[in-house]
Amino acid sequence: MFVRIKTTPNSPRKSIQIVENVRIGAKIKQKIVQYVGIALDDESSKHLQELAEEIISTLQVERKGQGELFEELQPKIGRPKRKELKDILSVDKVLAKDLYEEKRIIEGIHDIGGAAYEALGYENLLPRGSNGLLRDLVLARLAYPYSKHKMWQVLFEQFDKKYDLNQLYRLMDQIHPKIDKIKQITCAKTQALMPNADVVLFDVTTLHFESIEADEFREYGYSKNFRFNTTQVVLALATNECGLPIGYELFKGNEAEVKTLIASIAKWRTLMNINSVCFVGDRAMFSKGNLELLDENGYSYVIAAKLRKLPQLRQEEILDEKYYRMDFIGKDVAWIGEFELDGKRLITTYTPSRAKNDRNKRNQILDSLESKTGNAVKLIKNGAKKYIKVAAGETSFDQTKIEKDQMWDGMHGIITNIQDKHAKELLAKYHSLWHIEEAFRINKHNLKMRPIYHWTQKRIESHVALCYMTFAVLKRIQYQVELTQIRYSPQEILEVMASVQSSIHVHKETGDRYKMPGVMSLNARCLYKAFGISRSIDISTYQI
């Protein structure tokens, strides 16, 4: 098998295909194994070719393992004997009036999600008897991120997958010793898909429990969700510049955010190949210890700078317009300045759009304070305290603080040890940080990683690993679909996959079951095409 690039005359479109040579009589012909996608430029062509090479590797491994297929098909002692297909009334002899609908099952999630799951190499993580359940649980969580007890019901009601409830809980214990392997496999697949990517986006969040009971792992700490009345753990997550997962680490709930980068790198270096990358992080990572560690280990970095914490003379220079030149960042006009700070580059920018946003945020807070309305916690979160002063028991606006804050409207800065790149290129690296922010939104909201209902550390870690696998599957789907020049949000992908269903009908007399595929939308057909999957529209006999 090999990758074929088929061009279109007078068009930039390139069709990326996987083909193989097949002998037909005395001639050798090329047969298309899988259509990968359409590239409109060199960059997308490069990514599609990398994806095609990975698919070829997977297909070759699968073909080598086909000799084990017949062993899998041997009936197992103790299983109830199923009705043989030859004894089931054939579809062409069944009348519609003799059938009734038993249920509808979702197939799109297992078709599309299953292809991504296998591409990630998760199918042989556990002993043979547990891999099917792990796969079903990860995929079902895409659409139904519920508790394990609720998931057990959903698996049967929505997917016709029947398990014993205790199997789900035992699975959590089986996952725990495989967590490092899950991280290794996921990182390796991301690197194989984008071997030239050299950016690691890093950020931290907190995951709370519906509990006030603390222990050595579940602790009270600074909550990013403002759930100060519950215990929590701290999650550090890293992705590449396209949002594909690289790794994660869990810390006890009161771990200082600034310390997580050092601990994460130490762990990842023993598990993964992250020797030549550029770390990108927000201001919480800006500490002398973090920067020294990155320098000592030869890592490059682009990290947001805390401009207002810099020495007064440096602040005055940053606010002096004579140090700036006008340029464009994307489609936005910007003024860019550059300074030296402890042997590193401090790059600062001013943009009118950011200035407008800063001004609007401040005015909203001041209006809420003046009218004494709004959620107090939310106001504190948005920085209301810095605009007020208390004297003789009276609270009032501090005009000096407000005017000082206005001076920084539209300003932002990054600090980096990269000396040979243009400032705009480094700013672009930092702006890709939105991918890690999206990753947290997906994990927290779409996949509902929190609140966590487990109590023991092992079960908590297994729960997060399960959610991480689900996140990796979803991002793999999103990435592969985008390569076909179609962009869907994670929520749109989940909705489209869940819409691909079949009806299960039962014969009134024989009890035989039949599957009738439902109609697929245009979006669903696009998803299937992106993964090279065809779906039959024919009615067929059905057995679990």
Side-chain angles (χ1 to χ4, degrees), residues 421-436:
K421 300 290 184 183
H422 193 277
K424 286 178 63 174
E425 186 177 343
L426 297 173
L427 289 168
K429 285 184 183 290
Y430 180 80
H431 289 158
S432 65
L433 201 61
W434 70 267
H435 284 291
I436 195 76

PDB file of all heavy atoms in Angstrom, residues 421-436:
ATOM      1  N   LYS A 421      13.600  33.784  16.111  1.00  0.00           N
ATOM      2  CA  LYS A 421      12.294  33.848  15.455  1.00  0.00           C
ATOM      3  C   LYS A 421      11.753  35.269  15.487  1.00  0.00           C
ATOM      4  O   LYS A 421      12.016  36.033  16.433  1.00  0.00           O
ATOM      5  CB  LYS A 421      11.293  32.921  16.156  1.00  0.00           C
ATOM      6  CG  LYS A 421      11.684  31.451  16.178  1.00  0.00           C
ATOM      7  CD  LYS A 421      11.598  30.819  14.806  1.00  0.00           C
ATOM      8  CE  LYS A 421      11.896  29.323  14.878  1.00  0.00           C
ATOM      9  NZ  LYS A 421      11.886  28.683  13.550  1.00  0.00           N
ATOM     10  N   HIS A 422      10.984  35.614  14.450  1.00  0.00           N
ATOM     11  CA  HIS A 422      10.386  36.942  14.388  1.00  0.00           C
ATOM     12  C   HIS A 422       9.319  37.077  15.475  1.00  0.00           C
ATOM     13  O   HIS A 422       8.660  36.100  15.852  1.00  0.00           O
ATOM     14  CB  HIS A 422       9.753  37.150  13.012  1.00  0.00           C
ATOM     15  CG  HIS A 422       9.377  38.572  12.730  1.00  0.00           C
ATOM     16  ND1 HIS A 422       8.194  39.129  13.174  1.00  0.00           N
ATOM     17  CD2 HIS A 422      10.036  39.555  12.044  1.00  0.00           C
ATOM     18  CE1 HIS A 422       8.137  40.388  12.770  1.00  0.00           C
ATOM     19  NE2 HIS A 422       9.238  40.674  12.092  1.00  0.00           N
ATOM     20  N   ALA A 423       9.162  38.277  15.980  1.00  0.00           N
ATOM     21  CA  ALA A 423       8.207  38.520  17.065  1.00  0.00           C
ATOM     22  C   ALA A 423       6.797  38.066  16.690  1.00  0.00           C
ATOM     23  O   ALA A 423       6.074  37.482  17.505  1.00  0.00           O
ATOM     24  CB  ALA A 423       8.206  40.001  17.434  1.00  0.00           C
ATOM     25  N   LYS A 424       6.391  38.312  15.438  1.00  0.00           N
ATOM     26  CA  LYS A 424       5.039  37.923  15.009  1.00  0.00           C
ATOM     27  C   LYS A 424       4.854  36.405  15.056  1.00  0.00           C
ATOM     28  O   LYS A 424       3.779  35.909  15.393  1.00  0.00           O
ATOM     29  CB  LYS A 424       4.768  38.454  13.600  1.00  0.00           C
ATOM     30  CG  LYS A 424       4.511  39.950  13.542  1.00  0.00           C
ATOM     31  CD  LYS A 424       4.304  40.421  12.116  1.00  0.00           C
ATOM     32  CE  LYS A 424       3.093  39.807  11.474  1.00  0.00           C
ATOM     33  NZ  LYS A 424       2.819  40.373  10.137  1.00  0.00           N
ATOM     34  N   GLU A 425       5.887  35.661  14.711  1.00  0.00           N
ATOM     35  CA  GLU A 425       5.808  34.199  14.749  1.00  0.00           C
ATOM     36  C   GLU A 425       5.636  33.706  16.182  1.00  0.00           C
ATOM     37  O   GLU A 425       4.878  32.768  16.447  1.00  0.00           O
ATOM     38  CB  GLU A 425       7.071  33.603  14.127  1.00  0.00           C
ATOM     39  CG  GLU A 425       7.021  32.092  13.990  1.00  0.00           C
ATOM     40  CD  GLU A 425       8.247  31.532  13.304  1.00  0.00           C
ATOM     41  OE1 GLU A 425       8.977  32.303  12.644  1.00  0.00           O
ATOM     42  OE2 GLU A 425       8.482  30.310  13.424  1.00  0.00           O
ATOM     43  N   LEU A 426       6.331  34.341  17.109  1.00  0.00           N
ATOM     44  CA  LEU A 426       6.229  33.951  18.516  1.00  0.00           C
ATOM     45  C   LEU A 426       4.865  34.330  19.085  1.00  0.00           C
ATOM     46  O   LEU A 426       4.279  33.583  19.881  1.00  0.00           O
ATOM     47  CB  LEU A 426       7.350  34.603  19.318  1.00  0.00           C
ATOM     48  CG  LEU A 426       8.766  34.172  18.911  1.00  0.00           C
ATOM     49  CD1 LEU A 426       9.810  35.001  19.629  1.00  0.00           C
ATOM     50  CD2 LEU A 426       8.974  32.691  19.214  1.00  0.00           C
ATOM     51  N   LEU A 427       4.351  35.471  18.672  1.00  0.00           N
ATOM     52  CA  LEU A 427       3.014  35.874  19.117  1.00  0.00           C
ATOM     53  C   LEU A 427       1.968  34.893  18.593  1.00  0.00           C
ATOM     54  O   LEU A 427       1.001  34.562  19.278  1.00  0.00           O
ATOM     55  CB  LEU A 427       2.706  37.293  18.636  1.00  0.00           C
ATOM     56  CG  LEU A 427       3.495  38.415  19.328  1.00  0.00           C
ATOM     57  CD1 LEU A 427       3.334  39.729  18.571  1.00  0.00           C
ATOM     58  CD2 LEU A 427       3.032  38.578  20.781  1.00  0.00           C
ATOM     59  N   ALA A 428       2.170  34.407  17.362  1.00  0.00           N
ATOM     60  CA  ALA A 428       1.248  33.427  16.786  1.00  0.00           C
ATOM     61  C   ALA A 428       1.264  32.133  17.590  1.00  0.00           C
ATOM     62  O   ALA A 428       0.223  31.498  17.796  1.00  0.00           O
ATOM     63  CB  ALA A 428       1.610  33.145  15.333  1.00  0.00           C
ATOM     64  N   LYS A 429       2.445  31.723  18.050  1.00  0.00           N
ATOM     65  CA  LYS A 429       2.532  30.527  18.894  1.00  0.00           C
ATOM     66  C   LYS A 429       1.708  30.716  20.163  1.00  0.00           C
ATOM     67  O   LYS A 429       0.978  29.819  20.588  1.00  0.00           O
ATOM     68  CB  LYS A 429       3.997  30.240  19.263  1.00  0.00           C
ATOM     69  CG  LYS A 429       4.834  29.638  18.149  1.00  0.00           C
ATOM     70  CD  LYS A 429       6.224  29.313  18.648  1.00  0.00           C
ATOM     71  CE  LYS A 429       7.124  28.778  17.536  1.00  0.00           C
ATOM     72  NZ  LYS A 429       6.721  27.435  17.088  1.00  0.00           N
ATOM     73  N   TYR A 430       1.843  31.896  20.765  1.00  0.00           N
ATOM     74  CA  TYR A 430       1.082  32.137  21.997  1.00  0.00           C
ATOM     75  C   TYR A 430      -0.418  32.167  21.725  1.00  0.00           C
ATOM     76  O   TYR A 430      -1.212  31.642  22.510  1.00  0.00           O
ATOM     77  CB  TYR A 430       1.513  33.446  22.653  1.00  0.00           C
ATOM     78  CG  TYR A 430       0.725  33.705  23.924  1.00  0.00           C
ATOM     79  CD1 TYR A 430       1.064  33.075  25.106  1.00  0.00           C
ATOM     80  CD2 TYR A 430      -0.406  34.527  23.908  1.00  0.00           C
ATOM     81  CE1 TYR A 430       0.318  33.254  26.256  1.00  0.00           C
ATOM     82  CE2 TYR A 430      -1.160  34.712  25.063  1.00  0.00           C
ATOM     83  CZ  TYR A 430      -0.788  34.069  26.229  1.00  0.00           C
ATOM     84  OH  TYR A 430      -1.547  34.236  27.365  1.00  0.00           O
ATOM     85  N   HIS A 431      -0.827  32.757  20.624  1.00  0.00           N
ATOM     86  CA  HIS A 431      -2.248  32.866  20.321  1.00  0.00           C
ATOM     87  C   HIS A 431      -2.895  31.502  20.071  1.00  0.00           C
ATOM     88  O   HIS A 431      -4.111  31.367  20.148  1.00  0.00           O
ATOM     89  CB  HIS A 431      -2.465  33.788  19.120  1.00  0.00           C
ATOM     90  CG  HIS A 431      -2.194  35.231  19.435  1.00  0.00           C
ATOM     91  ND1 HIS A 431      -1.884  36.160  18.474  1.00  0.00           N
ATOM     92  CD2 HIS A 431      -2.159  35.895  20.608  1.00  0.00           C
ATOM     93  CE1 HIS A 431      -1.679  37.335  19.042  1.00  0.00           C
ATOM     94  NE2 HIS A 431      -1.831  37.196  20.339  1.00  0.00           N
ATOM     95  N   SER A 432      -2.068  30.468  19.782  1.00  0.00           N
ATOM     96  CA  SER A 432      -2.627  29.124  19.614  1.00  0.00           C
ATOM     97  C   SER A 432      -3.060  28.525  20.945  1.00  0.00           C
ATOM     98  O   SER A 432      -3.607  27.426  20.998  1.00  0.00           O
ATOM     99  CB  SER A 432      -1.610  28.208  18.926  1.00  0.00           C
ATOM    100  OG  SER A 432      -0.464  28.002  19.739  1.00  0.00           O
ATOM    101  N   LEU A 433      -2.826  29.255  22.041  1.00  0.00           N
ATOM    102  CA  LEU A 433      -3.193  28.760  23.368  1.00  0.00           C
ATOM    103  C   LEU A 433      -4.696  28.560  23.506  1.00  0.00           C
ATOM    104  O   LEU A 433      -5.161  27.881  24.423  1.00  0.00           O
ATOM    105  CB  LEU A 433      -2.685  29.740  24.443  1.00  0.00           C
ATOM    106  CG  LEU A 433      -2.526  29.195  25.868  1.00  0.00           C
ATOM    107  CD1 LEU A 433      -1.528  28.053  25.900  1.00  0.00           C
ATOM    108  CD2 LEU A 433      -2.078  30.302  26.811  1.00  0.00           C
ATOM    109  N   TRP A 434      -5.483  29.128  22.589  1.00  0.00           N
ATOM    110  CA  TRP A 434      -6.936  28.940  22.664  1.00  0.00           C
ATOM    111  C   TRP A 434      -7.301  27.461  22.523  1.00  0.00           C
ATOM    112  O   TRP A 434      -8.355  27.026  23.008  1.00  0.00           O
ATOM    113  CB  TRP A 434      -7.655  29.771  21.601  1.00  0.00           C
ATOM    114  CG  TRP A 434      -7.471  29.310  20.191  1.00  0.00           C
ATOM    115  CD1 TRP A 434      -6.532  29.735  19.311  1.00  0.00           C
ATOM    116  CD2 TRP A 434      -8.254  28.338  19.485  1.00  0.00           C
ATOM    117  NE1 TRP A 434      -6.659  29.096  18.100  1.00  0.00           N
ATOM    118  CE2 TRP A 434      -7.715  28.232  18.180  1.00  0.00           C
ATOM    119  CE3 TRP A 434      -9.357  27.553  19.817  1.00  0.00           C
ATOM    120  CZ2 TRP A 434      -8.244  27.368  17.221  1.00  0.00           C
ATOM    121  CZ3 TRP A 434      -9.884  26.702  18.861  1.00  0.00           C
ATOM    122  CH2 TRP A 434      -9.335  26.615  17.595  1.00  0.00           C
ATOM    123  N   HIS A 435      -6.415  26.673  21.896  1.00  0.00           N
ATOM    124  CA  HIS A 435      -6.696  25.243  21.745  1.00  0.00           C
ATOM    125  C   HIS A 435      -6.761  24.552  23.106  1.00  0.00           C
ATOM    126  O   HIS A 435      -7.604  23.674  23.323  1.00  0.00           O
ATOM    127  CB  HIS A 435      -5.624  24.579  20.884  1.00  0.00           C
ATOM    128  CG  HIS A 435      -5.768  24.853  19.423  1.00  0.00           C
ATOM    129  ND1 HIS A 435      -6.800  24.336  18.667  1.00  0.00           N
ATOM    130  CD2 HIS A 435      -5.013  25.602  18.567  1.00  0.00           C
ATOM    131  CE1 HIS A 435      -6.674  24.732  17.413  1.00  0.00           C
ATOM    132  NE2 HIS A 435      -5.600  25.508  17.320  1.00  0.00           N
ATOM    133  N   ILE A 436      -5.872  24.914  24.021  1.00  0.00           N
ATOM    134  CA  ILE A 436      -5.882  24.281  25.346  1.00  0.00           C
ATOM    135  C   ILE A 436      -7.095  24.754  26.138  1.00  0.00           C
ATOM    136  O   ILE A 436      -7.684  24.005  26.914  1.00  0.00           O
ATOM    137  CB  ILE A 436      -4.563  24.558  26.102  1.00  0.00           C
ATOM    138  CG1 ILE A 436      -4.429  23.608  27.315  1.00  0.00           C
ATOM    139  CG2 ILE A 436      -4.458  25.973  26.573  1.00  0.00           C
ATOM    140  CD1 ILE A 436      -4.043  22.206  26.962  1.00  0.00           C
TER     141      ILE A 436
END
